Amino acid sequence: MNNVANYFGRFKKGAILNITVNAIQAFGLGFASYYFQTKGLALYKIMLVWAINPLASLPIVLLATRWSTRTFLKLGVLCYIGASLSLLFYNEYSWLLFGIFMGLGLGLFWVSFNYVFFSTSSNNQHAKDSSMYFIFPALVSIVMPPLGALVIDNFGFKMLFMFTTVAFLIPLFYVRSDYFNHDQTITFSQANKEFSNIRLIAFFDGVLQFFQWHFLTIYALIFLKTEYEVGGLLSLIALLSLLVSFALSYASDHYGKRVEFLYPLLTLMAILILIMPSLNSVVALVPFIGAYVILDNLSMPIRFSIRMDMAKSNIGFWRASEFYGNIGRTVVLGMSALLLYLGYSWLPFVIFAVMTIIFPFIIRQKNISLRKRSGESQAGSL
């Protein structure tokens, strides 16, 4: 029992912040795409919002030299408040402002949070800790979207975004704790050189994360017509995420294997992705989304942990990881927006499927190259 308490005690405060921020986002900001649709934005333009999001994070990750996690966590929460306010006071530029504010929050908040959360993680715990990282928000994301839908139905979107804005004051004050206070000085060029081996892995993994988190929910708006249907889909995704990820992560850490688990999972994911554009009703689509989410959340903590296995986890690591992940998200979601605009709604699925199927081979090649360089380095020191 003490071992369990010690395990969870390592990141208790980080877990509380993770749960709080994700609960607020699931309650309010998770309805942003649906809200844009009710305002008449075309599907391709909503997709473009989520391409602008990671794009807006890049200057923060690229230009900052001295990284104060507590300060940047506060600034990140303020950016999420800005995103909420852009929806509360809707105008013709709200979609652009929302994308920018969410992107700034992505760069400021999550680089800092990831460093704090995983600062005590070790190689034999990376996958388990990564599963906890994803499970904690899933706990509240099951409940919060239906609550958000209830508020929309009874009081309207303005009340939803007003509640969301006020709720973000909770994490804004919570991060004042010294637990979140870490300072490191490192330029991006230093981080980019030190962590060059994770660039392509971060690129691919960033794309796959956004496929579930944003692309699928935007595409589903073709079929979903009410806030309760949207909230129900978001809750289903969270529920499946909660149920499946920890057991395989434990096995991955226990046996010290990563890519061996990914080959079958990502192959099945690619098959499901290729089938989805042929489905023409929500009744047909939702079971495939559910199956995909199960497989994706089985693989996500393992994919996430691979980068930490390959490099020392400091601020530079998380900056490089976020930078290349967000380049991938920007490029592929930007291409998806263009293809939706041109009427080729099936083609983004092909792109995502191809990236999914080749991802484990890239991981294996990077690991082989890393081991070779490590062996040469050791031989040279003898």
Side-chain angles (χ1 to χ4, degrees):
M1 183 64 85
N2 286 336
N3 288 337
V4 173
N6 290 336
Y7 175 72
F8 286 103
R10 286 194 296 114
F11 39 62
K12 182 177 71 174
K13 288 189 176 181
I16 292 171
L17 181 60
N18 195 5
I19 289 170
T20 304
V21 170
N22 278 281
I24 299 166
Q25 290 188 336
F27 171 75
L29 301 185
F31 286 93
S33 295
Y34 175 62
Y35 182 55
F36 289 136
Q37 186 186 49
T38 66
K39 290 295 186 179
L41 257 67
L43 214 61
Y44 79 88
K45 205 165 188 178
I46 300 173
M47 193 73 70
L48 189 60
V49 170
W50 295 105
I52 292 170
N53 171 355
L55 179 64
S57 75
L58 297 182
I60 299 293
V61 178
L62 188 64
L63 298 176
T65 301
R66 181 174 176 271
W67 201 281
S68 173
T69 55
R70 184 165 60 183
T71 299
F72 280 21
L73 284 168
K74 290 178 184 177
L75 291 173
V77 175
L78 287 173
C79 288
Y80 287 136
I81 290 174
S84 185
L85 289 173
S86 72
L87 301 177
L88 179 61
F89 301 103
Y90 190 85
N91 59 72
E92 61 180 312
Y93 300 108
S94 284
W95 65 276
L96 178 60
L97 291 171
F98 178 80
I100 291 172
F101 276 122
M102 289 296 288
L104 293 173
L106 184 64
L108 289 163
F109 185 89
W110 290 105
V111 170
S112 304
F113 178 78
N114 289 346
Y115 170 73
V116 172
F117 189 88
F118 289 105
S119 60
T120 60
S121 188
S122 57
N123 276 21
N124 65 345
Q125 296 174 320
H126 282 162
K128 293 194 295 291
D129 290 356
S130 296
S131 70
M132 290 295 102
Y133 174 88
F134 292 111
I135 283 173
F136 288 137
L139 287 168
V140 289
S141 296
I142 298 169
V143 178
M144 300 311 287
L147 287 178
L150 198 62
V151 172
I152 294 168
D153 186 33
N154 289 278
F155 305 104
F157 279 105
K158 280 194 175 294
M159 189 62 70
L160 176 76
F161 299 131
M162 188 181 299
F163 285 155
T164 302
T165 301
V166 173
F168 270 120
L169 296 176
I170 299 171
L172 185 63
F173 286 100
Y174 183 71
V175 297
R176 293 185 303 170
S177 167
D178 285 340
Y179 172 84
F180 299 105
N181 191 27
H182 301 266
D183 286 343
Q184 287 191 10
T185 300
I186 183 171
T187 65
F188 181 77
S189 61
Q190 290 173 310
N192 190 42
K193 183 178 180 180
E194 184 177 353
F195 302 109
S196 59
N197 57 309
I198 68 166
R199 294 172 191 165
L200 200 56
I201 292 175
F203 183 98
F204 271 72
D205 196 37
V207 172
L208 296 191
Q209 287 174 2
F210 263 41
F211 180 76
Q212 181 192 145
W213 295 347
H214 299 301
F215 182 91
L216 274 182
T217 51
I218 294 169
Y219 182 78
L221 292 176
I222 296 173
F223 309 104
L224 304 177
K225 303 304 179 186
T226 71
E227 57 271 16
Y228 288 109
E229 291 176 351
V230 174
L233 178 63
L234 295 174
S235 289
L236 173 65
I237 290 173
L239 176 62
L240 295 174
S241 302
L242 177 65
L243 292 177
V244 301
S245 65
F246 189 77
L248 194 58
S249 301
Y250 179 85
S252 177
D253 279 341
H254 180 73
Y255 294 107
K257 296 183 181 296
R258 303 288 192 227
V259 73
E260 291 83 357
F261 288 102
L262 293 182
Y263 282 121
L265 292 172
L266 270 66
T267 300
L268 290 172
M269 285 163 57
I271 293 170
L272 291 174
I273 291 171
L274 289 172
I275 293 172
M276 286 180 194
S278 67
L279 306 174
N280 54 14
S281 73
V282 67
V283 174
L285 182 63
V286 167
F288 279 87
I289 290 178
Y292 177 85
V293 168
I294 290 173
L295 295 171
D296 191 31
N297 284 284
L298 282 170
S299 71
M300 196 179 297
I302 299 173
R303 292 173 359 223
F304 202 70
S305 66
I306 285 169
R307 282 173 274 168
M308 290 187 282
D309 291 343
M310 295 173 68
K312 181 183 177 182
S313 178
N314 60 23
I315 286 292
F317 167 82
W318 290 110
R319 286 175 65 183
S321 188
E322 196 70 28
F323 182 81
Y324 288 102
N326 285 337
I327 287 179
R329 293 159 175 168
T330 299
V331 170
V332 178
L333 264 72
M335 289 172 56
S336 299
L338 177 61
L339 292 169
L340 286 173
Y341 174 74
L342 295 174
Y344 299 106
S345 59
W346 56 273
L347 197 48
F349 288 92
V350 176
I351 294 171
F352 281 112
V354 170
M355 293 187 72
T356 300
I357 201 73
I358 67 175
F359 188 29
F361 296 96
I362 290 172
I363 294 171
R364 179 170 287 280
Q365 182 57 42
K366 286 289 182 182
N367 273 317
I368 290 171
S369 299
L370 184 67
R371 286 196 294 269
K372 283 182 178 178
R373 286 199 300 273
S374 177
E376 290 168 0
S377 175
Q378 290 174 9
S381 65
L382 294 176

